[in-house]
Amino acid sequence: MPHLHLITGASRGLGHAIAEQLLQQQPGTVLLCISRHQSPALAELAAKQKSNVELIQWEQDLSNPIAAAARVREWLATQDAQRFDSATLINNAGTVGNPAPLSAAVDGDLSQALRIGLEAPMLLTAAFLGGTRDWRAARKVLNISSGLGRNAMGSQAPYCAAKAGMDQYSRAVALEEANAPNGARIVSLAPGVIDTDMQVQLRGASAEKFPARGRFEKLKSEGLLDSPASAAAKVLKYLARADFGSKPVADVRDPD
C-alpha cells in the first residue's frame, strides 16, 4: 500500500517531527520533504527502516513559491498515476519574522513572510491538486494553521494575515473539491502551542515592539508548550480521522 506524502518545512520543529513519525509509522511511504536545508537525521532514520520507505529531500526556498510549485508539478507528472493508494500534501512551513507593528515593518521582510506563509501554500496546493487530479489515490491537503489566524495579535500582522488567508482558501478549495471527481479533502488545522524555534523568536523579540512577549515567556515558564513530537502525533491522528475534511478549518483539540 504505497502512500505519498509531501511536506514543507521538514528540516526542523513540527515538520521534522511529522516527517520522523511518517517514516516510522507507514511502511511503503514515499516522503518528499521540501525545505531550505536537508535533514541528516531524517536521512539516517530512513536508511535504518526495514520497511519499503523512500525519502526524498529537496533544498527549495519557499520565498520563491513559483519555482517551488513548478518543481512539484513537474515531479508529479513523472509519477505513475496508479502507483499510490493515498497522496497527501502537508503545508507546514511558515515564519513569524521579526515581530513589530506593521508601521515599522521592513518591506522585504513583510513580503517574504507572506510569500512563505500564504503564497507558497496556495501555489503548492494548486500544483498538487492539478498534478494528482487523474490519480486513483485518495487525496488530502493538510494546512498547518494557527490560532493567530483566528484571533489577532498586535505586532504579528503578517503571520495573522497568512494564517487567516490559509483558513479561508481552505474553505474555498473544500467547496471546489466537494463537486469534483475523486475530490481532495482539505483541512486548515491549528496544531496547538508548540515549543519550536518560532517560540524562541517570540520570547526573544523586543518587548517594546512586541508587547505580547510576556505571554509567550509565561507559556514556556509554566510548561504549557507541547513538544514537537507530541504535537506531530496529534496532527497525524487528526489526518487519519475518518471525518477528515468535514470541517475545513479545525483544531487538533476538536473532539473526535
Side-chain angles (χ1 to χ4, degrees), residues 22-58:
L22 285 172
L23 287 172
Q24 295 177 80
Q25 294 178 2
Q26 294 196 7
T29 288
V30 175
L31 180 60
L32 172 56
C33 297
I34 305 170
S35 308
R36 282 188 299 170
H37 306 290
Q38 295 190 23
S39 166
L42 287 179
E44 183 178 353
L45 178 61
K48 290 179 179 178
Q49 298 305 303
K50 296 181 180 180
S51 57
N52 182 24
V53 171
E54 180 182 355
L55 173 67
I56 305 165
Q57 296 194 76
W58 289 355

Side-chain angles (χ1 to χ4, degrees), residues 143-213:
N143 288 326
I144 301 299
S145 186
S146 169
L148 291 186
R150 301 157 200 181
N151 299 281
M153 176 177 286
S155 298
Q156 279 287 276
Y159 190 76
C160 290
K163 295 306 184 183
M166 176 178 276
D167 286 353
Q168 195 68 345
Y169 97 72
S170 297
R171 290 186 176 103
V173 171
L175 294 173
E176 297 163 1
E177 291 296 311
N179 298 315
N182 190 28
R185 289 181 283 169
I186 182 169
V187 174
S188 188
L189 185 70
V193 189
I194 309 166
D195 196 3
T196 63
D197 289 346
M198 283 189 178
Q199 286 286 322
V200 174
Q201 284 181 268
L202 294 172
R203 294 194 299 270
S206 162
E208 180 181 358
K209 292 183 177 180
F210 185 45
R213 187 183 77 176

Side-chain angles (χ1 to χ4, degrees), residues 187 189 234-241 244 250-252 254:
V187 174
L189 185 70
K234 294 173 186 176
V235 167
L236 290 175
K237 181 181 178 181
Y238 195 98
L239 180 64
R241 283 173 54 153
F244 181 89
D251 191 294
V252 290
D254 290 341

